[in-house]
Amino acid sequence: MTERHIHMAGHVTERHITRPGQGGDRDVFEYALLRIVPRIERGECVNAGVLLYCRAQAYVGARTHLDEARLLALDPGADVAGVRAALGAVERVCAGGEGAGQAAHDDAGRRFRWLIAPRSTIVQPGPVHTGLTADPVAETERLLDLLVR
């Protein structure tokens, strides 16, 4: 189904609406960027990872990549080892199992919601966005390449 919308500037755009069962082999997913905010008072950040959740496939995953040079350009005194440890912890929570600690027994959705909750730490989740994918693992990698690397 397609809807046409006319914007104030007079441009016509089309928005495609997918109803359950009409998405082909693609499922809805949600994702958020992981940002490193070394000095909150300056408001600067470096994208360092992607969290992705696909309810239909009970998938939650994270891929991270820390560009140390960019982080140190924002804050030469940044705790790089601490940031790496925090990013590793996010990946372990997504993976579940023994390495996830108390979250080990939570379902994928609960782990994702816990990870995207606002925090006042140096590693912060960004806003949640959505999309469609047939392969959430590959989508996580694609978003990492597009938005982080």
Side-chain angles (χ1 to χ4, degrees):
M1 175 183 283
T2 300
E3 289 184 359
R4 289 187 175 262
H5 296 276
I6 301 175
H7 292 282
M8 301 247 333
H11 296 97
V12 176
T13 61
E14 290 188 4
R15 181 178 75 175
H16 300 280
I17 300 172
T18 303
R19 300 199 191 287
Q22 294 179 330
D25 60 346
R26 299 181 307 165
D27 295 309
V28 173
F29 71 90
E30 300 174 71
Y31 75 93
L33 286 171
L34 288 174
R35 300 186 268 197
I36 309 304
V37 184
R39 294 176 58 194
I40 193 72
E41 70 277 8
R42 293 185 59 146
E44 300 167 329
C45 66
V46 175
N47 291 343
V50 176
L51 294 167
L52 189 137
Y53 170 56
C54 180
R55 178 179 173 193
Q57 296 188 32
Y59 171 85
V60 64
R63 292 281 292 129
T64 62
H65 171 80
L66 180 60
D67 185 334
E68 285 185 31
R70 290 180 75 190
L71 174 58
L72 294 172
L74 293 179
D75 182 4
D79 179 6
V80 175
V83 169
R84 284 198 184 282
L87 291 172
V90 169
E91 289 186 8
R92 287 190 302 279
V93 168
C94 284
E98 293 280 324
Q102 291 183 327
H105 304 292
D106 290 341
D107 64 31
R110 187 172 172 95
R111 290 194 315 269
F112 179 74
R113 298 284 174 241
W114 183 76
L115 288 168
I116 62 166
R119 291 174 169 62
S120 60
T121 63
I122 228 174
V123 178
Q124 298 181 5
V128 176
H129 306 281
T130 61
L132 293 171
T133 187
D135 183 352
V137 175
E139 190 67 32
T140 306
E141 191 66 34
R142 184 188 77 79
L143 289 171
L144 183 75
D145 287 340
L146 179 69
L147 302 171
V148 177
R149 289 187 179 141

